[in-house]
Structures are given as C-alpha cells and as structure tokens.
Amino acid sequence: YALVRFQPNGRDLIVQKNDIAFPDGPPSRLWRLDAARGAVAGPVELGRHGAWSLEMTADHRRAFVTSPGENATWELDPRTLRVVRTHPVGDHAGAVSGDGRLFALGSRDGAVRLLDLETGDVRRFRGRHRGDAMHLSFGPDASTLVASDASGEILVWEVARGEVRERFSGPRGEVFGLAVSSDGRTLYSTAPDARMRIWDLAGDRRLDTRFDAG
C-alpha cells in the first residue's frame, strides 16, 4: 500500500510505501518525487518496524510518521525527508493538528492518546473505540478530534477534556476516510460501500436539535 502527500511547494510529492504485514512487516519507506522532472529520490527507511501514517501540518512544512512496533513518532522535513526529531511514543494510527502542536495516537485496542509535540507530555483520553483499524482527523482549531474504526462507528472527541462528545453510527465496516471542513462544522466520511456521508458536527442543522427550555 502507498500513501501520497504534497510537498510544501504544492507540486512535488512524498510517497510512503507500507507493507501489508503491518505492524510486523519491514520498515516504512519514503521517496520524494519531482513532478517537473519525474525524478525520484530515496528511499528513506524509518526504524526497523512498520509504520502506517504520513501526516502533514496545515502549512505542509512538517511531516509525521508513527510506528507501534518502534514505539516512536518521527518528525520530518518534507523537502528532504530528514528526521528532525524523534518522539519516544508511537502507535497504529496518527494525526497531527494543523498548527503542529498536538499529535493524536490511535491504538489497536481502541484507545486514544494525545502527544504534546512541544512538551513531550502524553495524555490518555477517557473511553475507547469498539473496533480496530482506527483513523483520526483534527478539526481546524484542534479543539475536536474525530476518529473512526472498523466497526463503522465515528467518535467525536473533545480534546481539552479528553472525552467523547458524540457518537455517529456509520455503515458496517471500516470508515477509512475522514475530513473536517475549514470552519469545523461539518465532517465528511467515506467507507467501502462507495458512499460519502456528511455529518453535522455543530449540532444545529438536525431535525432533532437540543435547546434550552428555560
């Protein structure tokens, strides 16, 4: 399997190749692709164990890869793929906040943790997912973290408290695509049934809307 992300110039690419035997397979490999010349540079290998994530900050100036077997999260310069910093905690799934301050970690047992990239502190959220194969995505201001798993359920976490704010029941099976709108009010998800679902994160566009009766 391969993951592809744009480099900071918005034209060239980073390609990450992952072995199907993840997390027990060989290390993750990354290449840089020059779109203008078609030239490929690499590969760069990270650690000795598999990784299955390639996360970018909103400005595309920092990239992150996390590995459960290595128990490490690598911070990379996307232009050179040079490791800038190694954080001594890793997991099966990861997501970085747009401002690059926080990194969320998702475990196979359904647990979610939060790594503060500035202090190195790790905080465990209360509650957990029911299934594995987790995917994570931050809202634009990092106050919300959305996570899905192989059961089809989507959890909306309140980052400050580390608690589940809401649960959405999607289709049975893995929900593998998550994207939060730039205003943080809408979530888009994709699943193997080839349908996109649109969720109201704000809570004010539903037939059954909560309100204060006084």
Side-chain angles (χ1 to χ4, degrees):
Y1 291 92
L3 297 175
V4 181
R5 299 287 186 269
F6 280 105
Q7 290 190 36
N9 62 17
R11 180 194 68 224
D12 300 331
L13 301 174
I14 303 172
V15 179
Q16 179 192 37
K17 183 177 180 293
N18 303 296
D19 194 274
I20 196 170
F22 171 81
D24 302 317
S28 177
R29 292 182 170 189
L30 295 97
W31 288 264
R32 290 182 293 121
L33 174 62
D34 186 317
R37 298 186 297 115
V40 178
V44 173
E45 288 192 355
L46 297 175
R48 297 168 298 168
H49 302 87
W52 200 294
S53 66
L54 179 55
E55 309 301 323
M56 308 280 286
T57 54
D59 59 10
H60 283 234
R61 295 187 180 277
R62 295 157 71 194
F64 294 85
V65 175
T66 189
S67 168
E70 203 74 22
N71 194 29
T73 297
W74 295 282
E75 183 175 336
L76 309 173
D77 180 343
R79 295 164 297 184
T80 63
L81 298 186
R82 182 177 64 88
V83 176
V84 177
R85 187 178 178 187
T86 301
H87 302 273
V89 59
D91 223 322
H92 287 75
V96 64
S97 61
D99 58 9
R101 292 187 303 107
L102 303 172
F103 193 86
L105 299 156
S107 301
R108 178 167 280 180
D109 64 1
V112 174
R113 294 177 294 166
L114 191 71
L115 166 65
D116 188 315
L117 293 169
E118 296 178 352
T119 66
D121 294 336
V122 179
R123 175 164 55 100
R124 187 183 181 97
F125 283 4
R126 289 184 286 274
R128 66 177 60 237
H129 279 263
R130 299 188 180 97
D132 58 5
M134 196 181 299
H135 300 272
L136 305 164
S137 181
F138 276 100
D141 62 357
S143 64
T144 298
L145 176 71
V146 179
S148 63
D149 62 23
S151 73
E153 185 177 53
I154 298 172
L155 268 58
V156 182
W157 299 84
E158 187 174 317
V159 172
R161 294 191 301 151
E163 296 179 348
V164 177
R165 190 180 78 204
E166 195 162 15
R167 294 177 183 266
F168 296 136
S169 296
R172 293 186 63 86
E174 182 180 356
V175 177
F176 53 78
L178 297 172
V180 181
S181 62
S182 58
D183 60 6
R185 294 173 53 83
T186 307
L187 167 68
Y188 302 88
S189 69
T190 56
D193 63 359
R195 295 191 179 198
M196 175 182 287
R197 287 168 173 81
I198 303 174
W199 308 91
D200 174 23
L201 290 180
D204 57 4
R205 292 166 290 172
R206 306 179 192 178
L207 182 64
D208 180 12
T209 303
R210 298 179 182 179
F211 62 95
D212 184 3

